[in-house]
Amino acid sequence: MLKIGEFASLADMSIKTLRYYDDIGLLKPVAVDPETGYRYYDYAQLARAYRLSAFKNMGLALNEIGELLDGKMTAGPTRRFLRTKRADLADQLRLLQEQIAYLDNKIYEVEMDGHMAAYEVMVKRLEPMKVLIARGAAPLKQDVGVTVANLRQRVAAYNAYPTAPDMAIFTAYIHPPTDIPIAVAQPTDSRVRLRGDDGVEEDIFPAMTVAAVIHTGPYDMAPGWVALNEWIQRNGYAIAGPFREIFLHDDVTDNSKAAFELQFPIKKVENPS
């Protein structure tokens, strides 16, 4: 038989860990001296100790390891259990990879600019969204604000209960010189009777992934759009649809208090150059 220290050395475990495994019934010694309390192990128990360590390295909890070691699961449930654990670990790995990518991006910002960027980019998944939408066009770039306001008024006239803030949607990152296409959408689950003569329609936006930043203060959002576009290119994404300005707080009396979320729909580029 092996003393606990000898067994611990062969099993690559600490004595403290072996005592704990004994207490919870996961790896009990073959004998305990009634006078000294010394624990003794058998060479054959090394196989169980190795398997225990292997399961622990897979990220399994001790109670889960106990069920596997004691053969309480048949082949089918064991296979399903291990596949589920693998899927969980794969999700954790993806999260860690995203965290590393964010850290790399922050390091790049500090190295290039000497400080972190003014805009923080968030990537998020949007679920399908039912909306009331009005479409139009601004004759010139300086008419964009007025056109957006008019379209918002058309949609607001229905008094539909909003499920999220309304938004302006633009089909081009760089506005054309004339006839700039614009849409305004109000997310809502309300049932409305469309008038048919005001250009307002019902639509459903599909699920999508977006990169977003928050812009606060005056309406000059160009720096936010530039920062967002640079982040997308630098992180292996491509723009995948019309971009959006979400009206979080639009204070017409004091635009220094305004708040918008700027969104680009994105997709991952398979082999970014």
Side-chain angles (χ1 to χ4, degrees):
M1 289 193 295
L2 296 165
K3 295 179 181 179
I4 189 170
E6 296 170 330
F7 188 84
S9 179
L10 291 173
D12 196 23
M13 295 178 179
S14 69
I15 292 175
K16 182 179 179 181
T17 296
L18 283 173
R19 287 171 177 162
Y20 179 65
Y21 287 165
D22 178 17
D23 291 341
I24 64 175
L26 200 57
L27 182 57
K28 300 189 73 66
V30 293
V32 178
D33 189 306
E35 295 183 1
T36 63
Y38 290 169
R39 296 170 172 86
Y40 294 92
Y41 295 82
D42 191 271
Y43 283 100
Q45 290 181 285
L46 287 171
R48 182 180 177 93
Y50 272 35
R51 178 160 290 184
L52 193 163
S53 294
F55 285 144
K56 190 175 179 183
N57 289 337
M58 295 177 197
L60 275 61
L62 293 180
N63 64 311
E64 296 169 335
I65 292 173
E67 292 187 17
L68 290 172
L69 289 175
D70 295 336
K72 294 180 180 179
M73 291 188 190
T74 58
T78 298
R79 183 171 58 252
R80 289 191 293 272
F81 169 75
L82 293 176
R83 285 178 175 172
T84 299
K85 294 300 294 187
R86 187 191 185 284
D88 291 343
L89 289 173
D91 288 339
Q92 294 175 34
L93 177 59
R94 281 191 290 271
L95 177 59
L96 288 172
Q97 289 171 332
E98 290 177 2
Q99 291 172 339
I100 290 172
Y102 280 124
L103 284 169
D104 287 342
N105 194 62
K106 285 298 168 195
I107 293 169
Y108 176 86
E109 289 174 1
V110 174
E111 289 178 344
M112 294 299 294
D113 303 328
H115 56 80
M116 289 194 292
Y119 291 93
E120 198 66 47
V121 177
M122 173 71 71
V123 175
K124 55 186 179 180
R125 183 70 177 169
L126 303 182
E127 297 302 318
M129 183 186 305
K130 178 186 173 185
V131 299
L132 286 178
I133 187 168
R135 296 178 174 87
L140 299 170
K141 186 175 181 179
Q142 57 264 35
D143 300 317
V144 168
V146 173
T147 303
V148 168
N150 290 337
L151 293 173
R152 292 182 75 185
Q153 287 177 359
R154 281 197 231 165
V155 173
Y158 283 87
N159 294 315
Y161 182 79
T163 55
D166 55 339
M167 66 188 77
I169 304 166
F170 303 89
T171 57
Y173 172 53
I174 303 298
H175 291 321
T178 60
D179 297 324
I180 302 165
I182 303 172
V184 166
Q186 171 64 72
T188 181
D189 286 333
S190 299
R191 293 183 178 181
V192 299
R193 179 177 295 178
L194 297 174
R195 297 187 178 92
D197 60 355
D198 57 359
V200 177
E201 302 172 340
E202 290 182 312
D203 200 354
I204 296 178
F205 290 167
M208 66 181 68
T209 300
V210 300
V213 298
I214 298 296
H215 173 85
T216 57
Y219 293 158
D220 180 14
M221 289 172 270
W225 287 118
V226 170
L228 193 52
N229 189 43
E230 289 178 349
W231 185 94
I232 289 170
Q233 295 182 42
R234 192 165 63 240
N235 286 273
Y237 289 95
I239 296 171
F243 64 98
R244 306 170 169 192
E245 293 177 0
I246 314 298
F247 301 99
L248 301 178
H249 180 67
D250 192 11
D251 192 328
V252 295
T253 62
D254 183 1
N255 64 21
S256 67
K257 298 179 180 179
F260 299 85
E261 182 175 292
L262 313 182
Q263 295 180 352
F264 268 128
I266 57 172
K267 61 182 178 181
K268 197 70 177 175
V269 177
E270 293 298 328
N271 295 302
S273 56

